[in-house]
Amino acid sequence: MDYEAELQTAQGAIMAAADLDALEALRLAYLGKAGSISALLKTLGAMSPDERQTTGPRIHALREGVAGALASRKAALEGAALEARLAAEEVDLTLPAPASQRGSIHPVSQVMEELAEIFADLGFAVATGPEIEDGWHNFTALNMPESHPARAMHDTFYFAERTETGEELLLRTHTSPVQIRAMQATGGTQPLRIIAPGRVYRSDSDATHTPMFHQVEGLVIGEGIHLGHLKWTLETFLRAFFERDDIVLRLRPSYFPFTEPSVEVDVGYASTGGRRVVGGNGDDAGHGWMELLGSGMVNRRVLTAGGYDPDRWQGFAFGLGVDRLAMLKYGMDDLR
Ligand code: FA5
């Protein structure tokens, strides 16, 4: 067999292949399982050692030559195909761009902004305090001394370090320490009307409790302040927040070390289609009461710790869970 002539014929056919499909057909015809060169390679086994020594290298050279020709023709055809595509395609700059996803404000941030706006209309300024608090502001000044059992009621995250004065350092468990900081800032000489929105932390996690959540503290200090002012303020705020006039509040006696008397405030809601819709008297059929916040008249000891004379000044305070308020307003049923 003339392997040289065979190679030239094959090379000619390969160079003449017009496209990649034709080239693949040729590859199969020569080098595929049933290809002609594969068949030649199989004959090697039946040859005598001498014959194999002379013929083997020729068959292998033929296979190498064909494989090389296939590879170079493939590269040429692919290059030509790319050139053709580049020449044929053009960029249409008039096509509309795909719509991009826009972010939106987190429901909790949105609710905090709404709260600040409503309370600003009622004359409340926004006050802030640190999230890393000391034990004195978070507990002691709020009438929860070291041995007080209420101190253990808050599952607190503590730091290993202490302050320079030896106070324990912790992640604040409520926004109430801002009451103390705001009182101290006036020197005990002026009326106060503030809200303090912010993050608070407790070692707690399930569908209605998360380790980090948001509270808004409210504090009003003045002369002649009483519980009626608290009730009016909360009713006015909740009507504006839920945009409904039929908000009914229920004040339940409660206990917080920093307020005396203390009241927990529930709001009436209707259950419709599995969702709680705020409004109406919670005692009516199909209605219920939901706890919204803790509040009360500021304890005399807390006024004193904040630098106010409790014989002259009175105040009310409240602390509400923003996350729950957001769940209620936007119909979410799991805090996480
Ligand atoms: C307090 O934190 C008091 N500082 C509130 C207060 C302020 C009372 C001023 C009187 C005067 P309490 O632990 O109940 O109270 O929390 C207040 C609200 O925060 C709760 O009603 C609830 O809405 C919300 N809350 C409490 N724990 C969690 C939690 N783990 N996850 C989400 N929300 C929570």
Side-chain angles (χ1 to χ4, degrees):
M1 185 165 183
D2 186 346
Y3 294 103
E4 274 300 315
E6 195 67 17
L7 177 58
Q8 279 180 12
T9 312
Q11 281 172 333
I14 288 166
M15 287 311 151
D19 55 34
L20 288 166
D21 285 344
L23 192 66
E24 176 63 7
L26 286 170
R27 188 188 69 80
L28 289 172
Y30 293 121
L31 303 179
K33 257 191 198 156
S36 55
I37 296 175
S38 306
L40 285 175
L41 283 164
K42 279 181 204 145
T43 62
L44 285 173
M47 290 178 189
S48 68
D50 283 351
E51 205 182 346
R52 193 182 305 138
Q53 217 166 27
T54 51
T55 312
R58 291 189 187 143
I59 299 181
H60 282 293
L62 171 62
R63 198 189 59 169
E64 294 295 302
V66 168
L70 283 166
S72 71
R73 184 63 185 154
K74 189 171 182 214
L77 284 172
E78 280 173 350
L82 182 62
E83 287 295 320
R85 255 184 67 193
L86 288 177
E89 286 179 5
E90 50 184 69
V91 179
D92 182 356
L93 295 177
T94 67
L95 274 179
S100 59
Q101 298 232 336
R102 297 187 83 189
S104 61
I105 298 177
H106 192 283
V108 168
S109 308
Q110 198 171 317
V111 163
M112 294 221 275
E113 278 173 26
E114 288 169 20
L115 282 164
E117 265 176 40
I118 296 170
F119 278 108
D121 287 345
L122 298 176
F124 285 69
V126 171
T128 56
E131 288 175 28
I132 298 176
E133 257 301 2
D134 57 60
W136 190 80
H137 285 92
N138 195 81
F139 293 127
T140 312
L142 290 162
N143 193 31
M144 297 155 95
E146 298 244 352
S147 58
H148 199 289
R151 213 152 158 150
M153 269 163 46
H154 289 199
D155 293 316
T156 311
F157 291 114
Y158 288 97
F159 288 86
E161 298 84 6
R162 287 185 169 248
T163 66
E164 284 164 5
T165 55
E167 280 289 333
E168 45 195 5
L169 271 180
L170 45 88
L171 288 175
R172 67 178 180 191
T173 57
H174 51 174
T175 43
S176 299
V178 185
Q179 287 188 32
I180 303 298
R181 293 185 178 275
M183 283 192 250
Q184 287 179 319
T186 73
T189 54
Q190 290 162 32
L192 259 183
R193 213 185 285 178
I194 54 131
I195 59 162
R199 282 187 279 265
V200 301
Y201 304 83
R202 289 183 203 175
S203 177
D204 216 356
S205 184
D206 61 40
T208 55
H209 296 85
T210 48
M212 187 278 286
F213 58 102
H214 302 78
Q215 285 187 342
V216 170
E217 194 79 8
L219 175 68
V220 170
I221 291 181
E223 290 177 83
I225 297 291
H226 55 75
L227 264 185
H229 293 124
L230 168 66
K231 184 165 184 274
W232 180 88
T233 304
L234 292 175
E235 261 168 11
T236 305
F237 153 66
L238 290 168
R239 283 192 185 134
F241 180 75
F242 287 108
E243 299 169 46
R244 299 180 67 124
D245 287 330
D246 63 344
I247 297 290
V248 184
L249 296 186
R250 181 174 76 171
L251 274 57
R252 270 184 299 113
S254 182
Y255 174 75
F256 294 103
F258 30 93
T259 46
E260 181 59 38
S262 300
V263 284
E264 263 170 320
V265 178
D266 302 336
V267 66
Y269 66 86
S271 284
T272 38
R275 256 191 75 182
R276 290 178 174 189
V277 179
V278 171
N281 187 323
D283 288 330
D284 289 348
H287 284 62
W289 295 107
M290 178 157 45
E291 183 196 320
L292 265 195
L293 54 93
S295 61
M297 298 305 295
V298 180
N299 190 302
R300 289 173 64 89
R301 291 184 183 178
V302 174
L303 286 169
T304 305
Y308 279 81
D309 174 2
D311 288 329
R312 180 177 165 202
W313 302 95
Q314 298 77 44
F316 69 76
F318 58 87
L320 60 90
V322 182
D323 308 71
R324 292 193 184 161
L325 218 54
M327 287 170 82
L328 255 187
K329 185 157 182 179
Y330 298 108
M332 296 173 277
D333 56 14
D334 189 325
L335 262 185
R336 290 159 299 182

